[in-house]
Each structure stands twice: as structure tokens, then as C-alpha cells.
């Protein structure tokens, strides 16, 4: 059978994960409705194509080799209600602006990957949430249930799987249209106005980057008498945590031109920290996919486990195949990352190291608000750069939760948001995100650090 892939020693199929216990899955009461919906999803067209996925892998291989930088970012959890043109365009805009700063400051191309068009499933630390005298299933993302704290809304609803597919398709369609319509054209960064960024210093610094890039483009085009590559213009890839395995399986398809099997619901699926152990159903599912994949590496991961995982997920040592997204926290990175880098390097398996400075630095204020401090996140990112530099390794990417909206969810940054400012525009239902001003500041701070190394 075509869709059986021999990966490592044991055979794999898109459903072999079902032999394992899958954690972080909702309890659906109506199994026959679930089955019908999944069949419907499985009959729908794919969202992405194998050739796009293969191209992304080659770009990630370049990032691992220090020749390109991965910028991966977007919401913690996408909401169906936020599948709106302005919200999508603003998120694209901030990612484009950041990528411009990175291209300019790092002197290398950037591969842009959104946490969007499918980032609808969330792992939770508890299956239930209690408010007053009422206990209900936790919110697990729009693909599973509703955020509203009522019995009906919190009940896992299989019909949401199909809605997730449609919302992902609509989002991706808009992202592609913006790219093709010239919105994302490097020749026209003036389309990407700075929105609510009012800090004069940040505006001036950004304008300097735009002017320098436009001048470089004009110079290159004048010398070569050609327009710069079309490919560089668009390239937005999608990614999400491949958490809800029945849904991921329904979008997994054999390639008609090879023996490969692709998850065509996204270009770049990742395994979250809570599901990344060697025996997990999630590791089993992702190991057989032909997509490039990523794993979130948290402070609880032993170096011996990390080595096994790296060999298991990239048995052919394919460059670009595996990205490790370290999310250790500022307090732990110094004591853990060096050993992890050495352990992975000892396997001889190539990986792309990325830094998620957000998930290890979440704090809960006394009033229950979850936040993250800009300065703590930046320190983790800077330490990551220092450590990779000292280990003669490459930090080839960054992974951020951000939005193009004017939210107040993370404190700090040049505007100096304080704890008491958070309630002004706190919108996230899950983790706190950088607003576009903070995101742009993070990009500038990153290039400053790289230049100082
Ligand atoms: C996330 O990326 O939103 C997330 C839950 O991350 P992690 O798996 O690193 O905790
Ligand atoms: Co998150």
C-alpha cells in the first residue's frame, strides 16, 4: 500500500498514532457525528501543496545553516470570530515589518511562517475549569469548544472541525491574495504603514530600514537590469500545533508523485511541549509525515530524551526536516540550553534551533491576569544568541506570539506598559501576545544583539 512509510525501524501509517494513548484530546459524546465530520474533512481539498511544503523544508535547511532566518509568529489561539480581513492584514503587516528589519540587520533572507490558518487547538494544564460552584470542560480552542463559560458552549462539538477547516481556508486565501496583490511586495513597504506605532524613535528607526532596503533593491535591479525575484515577494507559510490528531489525520494525504505522505492542512506542523515525549501519539503521528516538523523543547526535557527524539524524528538526518523550538524560560536557559545543544550536536542529526522566549516566561498577576514581561523575554532571546554563539551553533529562528492589534497583554517595551495598563485592551483568551509595537521593538533588539556578538 502506498501510504505505508518505513521510517526508522517500525512501519508508519497516518493512523498508527491510534495505537498510542493520545493526551490533550477532547471527549466527544457523539462518536458517529465525529466520524461523519472527519470523513467530510478528509474529502475536502488540501489547504497547501506538497511542492510548497518541500520548498519550505529547503528554506529551513538554509536557516539551520545560518544562511537565512526563520520568523515564526502569530496568535496563541486563533479565534473563528477573528477571521476578518483587517485582523489578518494587520498580522501580516507586522510580520512583514519585522522581517524587513531582520533582513536589513542580519544581512540574510527571512523565511516567514505564520501561526495561523489552523492554530485552533490548545493544550490545557487542566481538563476542567471551575468558576464559583460550576465546573465545566476547559476551553480547548475554537476547533473543540467555545470559550463562553456555559455548559452548551464548553461541550466539545464535532461540527467545529469542519468550521476550523473553512476558517483556515478563508484565512489562507486572504493571506495568499494579499501576497499576490502586491501588498507584500518588498518594492512597496510603504503599504505597510505603522498603524498605531506612535513612538517617534521606533518610527524613525523603521523608516531608516525601509529607505536602506529600497535603495539596495533599486541598486541591485539597476546593476542586474532585472526585477528582484518574485518568490522573495510572497512566501508566507503556515504552521500550527498538530494537537487534535483525528483532524490532522483527516488532512494527511499520500503524494501522487512519490511515496511520501504529507499533512496538507499546514506547511509546518509542530509538537507542543506537553505532547513531546517519545512514546506519545503525537510523536508517532508526526514522525512519518514528509513535512518539515518542529518540536517545542521545554525545561523538563532530559538531554538523553532529546537525543532519542532527534534521531527518531529525523532518522535520515535530512537538513530542514526538524526544528527545535526551545522555550526554556529566562531562569533556566543558561543552565539548560548549552547541554541541549551539545547533546543534539553529538547525534550528528542536523536541526534548526529556534527560540520561543514567550512560553517559559508567563506570569500570573495577583488578580489572575496572565502576562509576560518584554524585558524578560528579550533577555532570554539574547541569552539564546550568546549561548549558540559560544557553542559555535546557530540560532536560526525566533518563535513569537504576536498580533497586529493594539492590545495590552505583555508589559514593558519602550512604551513601558505596566501591570495596571493590561486591563485597557487585554483580549487574548489564552496566552498574552506582543502588540505590533512590541513585536517591532523585539526585531530591532534582536538585530542589535546579533551585531554586538
Ligand atoms: C503554544 O505555543 O501556544 C504552546 C502551548 O506552547 P508550548 O507547547 O511550548 O507550551
Ligand atoms: Co501560547
Amino acid at each position: 500500500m502506498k501510504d505505508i512509510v518505513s521510517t526508522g525501524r517500525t512501519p508508519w501509517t497516518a493512523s498508527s498514532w491510534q495505537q498510542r494513548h493520545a493526551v490533550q484530546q477532547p471527549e466527544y459524546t457523539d462518536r458517529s457525528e465525529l466520524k461523519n465530520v472527519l470523513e467530510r474533512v478528509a474529502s475536502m481539498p488540501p489547504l497547501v501543496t506538497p511542492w510548497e511544503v518541500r520548498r519550505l523544508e529547503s528554506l529551513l535547511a538554509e536557516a539551520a545553516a545560518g544562511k537565512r532566518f526563520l520568523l515564526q509568529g502569530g496568535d496563541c489561539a486563533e479565534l473563528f470570530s477573528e477571521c476578518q480581513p483587517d485582523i489578518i492584514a494587520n498580522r501580516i503587516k507586522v510580520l512583514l515589518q519585522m522581517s524587513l528589519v531582520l533582513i536589513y540587520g542580519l544581512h540574510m533572507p527571512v523565511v516567514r511562517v505564520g501561526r495561523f490558518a489552523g492554530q485552533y487547538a490548545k493544550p490545557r494544564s487542566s481538563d476542567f475549569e471551575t468558576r464559583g460552584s460550576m465546573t465545566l470542560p476547559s476551553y480547548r480552542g475554537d476547533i473543540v469548544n467555545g470559550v463562553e463559560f456555559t455548559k452548551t458552549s464548553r461541550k466539545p462539538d464535532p461540527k467545529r472541525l469542519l468550521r476550523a477547516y473553512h476558517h483556515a481556508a478563508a484565512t489562507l486565501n486572504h493571506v495568499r491574495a494579499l501576497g499576490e496583490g502586491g501588498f507584500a511586495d518588498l518594492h512597496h513597504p510603504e503599504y505597510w504603514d505603522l498603524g498605531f506605532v506612535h513612538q517617534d524613535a521606533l518610527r524613525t528607526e523603521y523608516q531608516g530600514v525601509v529607505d536602506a532596503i529600497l535603495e539596495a533593491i533599486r541598486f541591485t535591479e539597476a546593476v542586474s537590469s532585472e526585477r528582484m525575484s518574485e518568490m522573495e515577494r510572497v512566501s508566507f507559510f503556515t504552521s500550527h500545533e498538530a494537537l487534535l490528531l483525528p483532524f490532522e489525520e483527516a488532512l494527511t494525504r499520500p503524494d501522487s508523485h512519490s511515496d511520501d505522505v504529507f499533512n496538507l492542512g499546514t506547511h509546518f506542523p509542530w509538537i507542543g511541549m506537553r505532547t513531546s515525549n517519545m512514546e506519545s501519539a503525537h510523536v508517532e503521528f508526526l514522525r512519518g509525515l514528509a513535512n518539515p516538523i518542529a518540536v517545542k523543547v521545554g525545561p523538563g526535557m532530559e538531554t538523553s530524551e532529546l537525543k532519542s527524539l532527534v534521531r527518531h524524528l529525523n532518522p535520515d538526518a535530512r537538513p530542514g526536516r526538524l526544528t527545535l523550538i526551545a522555550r526554556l524560560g529566562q531562569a533556566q536557559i543558561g543552565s539548560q540550553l548549552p547541554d541541549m545543544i551539545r547533546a543534539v550536536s553529538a547525534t550528528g542529526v542536523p536541526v534548526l534551533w529556534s527560540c520561543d522566549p514567550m512560553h517559559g516566561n508567563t506570569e500570573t498577576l495577583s488578580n489572575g491576569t496572565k502576562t509576560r514581561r518584554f524585558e524578560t523575554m528579550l533577555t532570554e532571546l539574547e541569552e539564546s544568541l550568546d549561548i549558540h554563539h559560544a557553542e559555535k551553533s546557530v540560532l536560526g529562528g525566533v518563535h513569537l506570539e504576536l498580533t497586529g492589534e493594539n492590545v495590552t497583554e505583555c508589559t514593558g517595551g519602550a512604551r513601558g506598559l505596566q501591570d495596571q495598563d493590561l486591563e485597557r485592551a487585554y483580549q487574548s483568551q489564552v496566552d498574552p501576545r506582543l502588540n505590533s509595537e512590541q513585536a517591532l521593538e523585539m526585531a530591532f533588539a534582536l538585530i542589535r544583539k546579533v551585531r554586538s556578538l
Side-chain angles (χ1 to χ4, degrees):
M1 214 174 87
K2 194 166 186 156
D3 57 348
I4 295 185
V5 178
S6 171
T7 336
R9 265 164 257 117
T10 28
W12 175 94
T13 70
S15 57
S16 53
W17 64 269
Q18 295 181 18
Q19 307 307 315
R20 313 268 172 118
H21 172 63
V23 295
Q24 296 284 346
Q25 306 298 298
E27 290 284 341
Y28 292 105
T29 44
D30 191 341
R31 305 293 299 180
S32 79
E33 189 185 21
L34 175 66
K35 185 166 168 281
N36 290 342
V37 175
L38 287 170
E39 276 169 15
R40 185 71 191 114
V41 175
S43 70
M44 299 298 275
L47 296 173
V48 303
T49 61
W51 49 94
E52 291 168 345
V53 174
R54 287 195 209 279
R55 173 165 158 76
L56 175 62
E57 186 171 278
S58 71
L59 300 180
L60 294 173
E62 290 177 20
K67 300 195 175 103
R68 184 178 284 274
F69 198 77
L70 164 67
L71 172 64
Q72 186 175 17
D75 284 323
C76 180
E78 275 179 294
L79 302 178
F80 294 166
S81 62
E82 292 193 348
C83 181
Q84 295 177 28
D86 288 356
I87 295 179
I88 295 168
N90 288 342
R91 199 168 38 209
I92 291 291
K93 230 187 258 178
V94 67
L95 287 168
L96 282 168
Q97 286 164 345
M98 292 173 80
S99 68
L100 216 53
V101 171
L102 296 174
I103 292 168
Y104 169 81
L106 304 178
H107 302 294
M108 59 175 81
V110 167
V111 52
R112 304 171 199 96
V113 178
R115 278 177 69 113
F116 53 53
Q119 177 54 18
Y120 298 118
K122 295 311 298 172
R124 301 318 301 257
S125 41
S126 170
D127 286 347
F128 294 96
E129 182 182 343
T130 301
R131 290 192 199 172
S133 58
M134 188 140 76
T135 296
L136 294 174
S138 294
Y139 171 62
R140 290 190 171 276
D142 275 8
I143 194 170
V144 174
N145 54 4
V147 73
E148 205 194 337
F149 195 72
T150 62
K151 213 171 155 195
T152 329
S153 148
R154 287 294 173 92
K155 187 175 161 45
D157 178 0
K159 286 192 285 298
R160 284 178 170 268
L161 298 167
L162 204 53
R163 292 179 65 201
Y165 170 85
H166 288 301
H167 282 87
T171 303
L172 186 51
N173 183 59
H174 196 49
V175 170
R176 291 191 194 276
L178 288 173
E180 271 155 33
F183 175 89
D185 189 338
L186 278 183
H187 296 88
H188 293 287
E190 66 274 18
Y191 293 170
W192 323 333
D193 67 81
L194 281 174
F196 73 87
V197 174
H198 297 303
Q199 289 171 46
D200 286 344
L202 193 56
R203 283 190 161 258
T204 310
E205 201 171 10
Y206 179 71
Q207 196 53 48
V209 171
V210 168
D211 293 345
I213 291 201
L214 281 177
E215 197 175 310
I217 291 176
R218 283 191 205 112
F219 177 77
T220 313
E221 289 179 346
V223 172
S224 67
S225 48
E226 268 177 37
R227 282 284 274 187
M228 256 172 61
S229 141
E230 295 286 301
M231 288 308 281
E232 282 304 324
R233 191 180 74 175
V234 193
S235 58
F236 257 100
F237 297 92
T238 64
S239 69
H240 66 248
E241 178 172 352
L243 184 69
L244 197 56
L245 293 176
F247 181 78
E248 298 298 325
E249 181 185 339
L251 283 165
T252 296
R253 317 280 165 86
D255 180 26
S256 45
H257 304 290
S258 68
D259 290 336
D260 290 338
V261 178
F262 287 92
N263 180 341
L264 297 180
T266 187
H267 297 111
F268 190 23
W270 81 79
I271 305 175
M273 185 190 72
R274 292 170 187 77
T275 49
S276 66
N277 63 300
M278 274 290 282
E279 301 309 315
S280 78
H282 294 80
V283 166
E284 173 59 19
F285 176 67
L286 271 89
R287 85 176 162 100
L289 298 176
N291 304 57
I293 61 172
V295 186
K296 291 282 202 97
V297 179
M301 174 89 71
E302 298 286 335
T303 48
S304 55
E305 167 116 8
L306 183 58
K307 280 174 147 173
S308 312
L309 202 55
V310 160
R311 291 193 186 102
H312 189 61
L313 291 174
N314 194 5
D316 305 324
R318 226 162 69 211
R321 153 70 173 173
L322 182 61
T323 298
L324 298 177
I325 307 170
R327 34 87 80 231
L328 299 165
Q330 192 263 317
Q332 285 97 335
I333 188 167
S335 61
Q336 300 210 1
L337 188 60
D339 288 344
M340 287 178 163
I341 294 173
R342 284 176 213 149
V344 171
S345 158
T347 64
V349 176
V351 302
L352 164 58
W353 282 101
S354 177
C355 172
D356 166 357
M358 310 205 73
H359 285 87
N361 296 311
T362 314
E363 295 174 28
T364 306
L365 303 180
S366 55
N367 64 1
T369 307
K370 272 212 266 181
T371 192
R372 292 162 173 160
R373 306 195 182 277
F374 183 90
E375 285 66 28
T376 314
M377 293 185 271
L378 178 56
T379 307
E380 178 168 355
L381 182 55
E382 289 175 341
E383 283 184 34
S384 181
L385 284 160
D386 278 331
I387 293 168
H388 279 283
H389 187 71
E391 296 295 325
K392 302 203 171 16
S393 167
V394 174
L395 179 69
V398 66
H399 182 112
L400 300 169
E401 287 184 340
L402 53 84
T403 170
E405 305 306 302
N406 190 5
V407 300
T408 54
E409 297 172 3
C410 295
T411 59
R415 192 177 283 278
L417 285 182
Q418 304 289 317
D419 292 356
Q420 59 271 23
D421 296 319
L422 296 181
E423 64 186 21
R424 200 169 66 229
Y426 197 104
Q427 289 173 14
S428 176
Q429 302 293 343
V430 271
D431 290 340
R433 302 160 294 176
L434 299 172
N435 60 33
S436 56
E437 202 171 61
Q438 291 168 327
L440 202 56
E441 280 179 46
M442 192 65 87
F444 275 112
L446 192 157
I447 63 167
R448 246 174 251 129
K449 176 68 191 177
V450 170
R451 283 176 177 168
S452 76
L453 287 174

